[in-house]
Amino acid sequence: MNNAKRTKNLIEMYSEDLAANLAKEDDISEVTIFWEVPYHLEGQNIAKFTYKRKGENMIIGESWYDLSLR
C-alpha cells in the first residue's frame, strides 16, 4: 500500500502517460480519467483528470482529488 502522497504522485504520472499516448490518436480531442484506489476509498472515485488537445499534445484541463488524498 502507498501512502496518500505517493498514491497521488502515481495517479498523476499514469494519467499524464495515458493522455500523452492517447494524443497520438488524431481523432481524440479530449480525455477524462477517473481513478479508484480501493485501499484509500473503496467503491468511489478518488481522483479525476481532464485533458484537452492542444496541437499534437494533450494538456491538463482540471483535476479533482477526494479529501483522502489532500
Side-chain angles (χ1 to χ4, degrees):
M1 265 199 255
N2 295 313
N3 63 26
K5 182 179 179 181
R6 176 86 171 130
T7 298
K8 189 174 177 181
N9 288 339
L10 287 170
I11 287 172
E12 289 171 355
M13 180 183 69
Y14 284 121
S15 296
E16 289 287 327
D17 183 61
L18 178 59
N21 280 296
L22 290 172
K24 296 173 187 173
E25 302 295 325
D26 293 332
D27 58 341
I28 297 177
S29 60
E30 189 172 328
V31 176
T32 302
I33 303 168
F34 294 91
W35 287 95
E36 182 178 325
V37 183
Y39 58 84
H40 282 292
L41 183 65
E42 187 159 354
Q44 296 182 25
N45 293 323
I46 200 164
K48 174 188 169 190
F49 300 90
T50 60
Y51 295 85
K52 294 185 182 198
R53 179 172 293 283
K54 184 171 185 178
E56 294 182 7
N57 301 309
M58 290 286 186
I59 60 168
I60 187 101
E62 62 180 64
S63 59
W64 168 86
Y65 297 95
D66 182 76
L67 292 175
S68 62
L69 289 184
R70 293 185 191 168

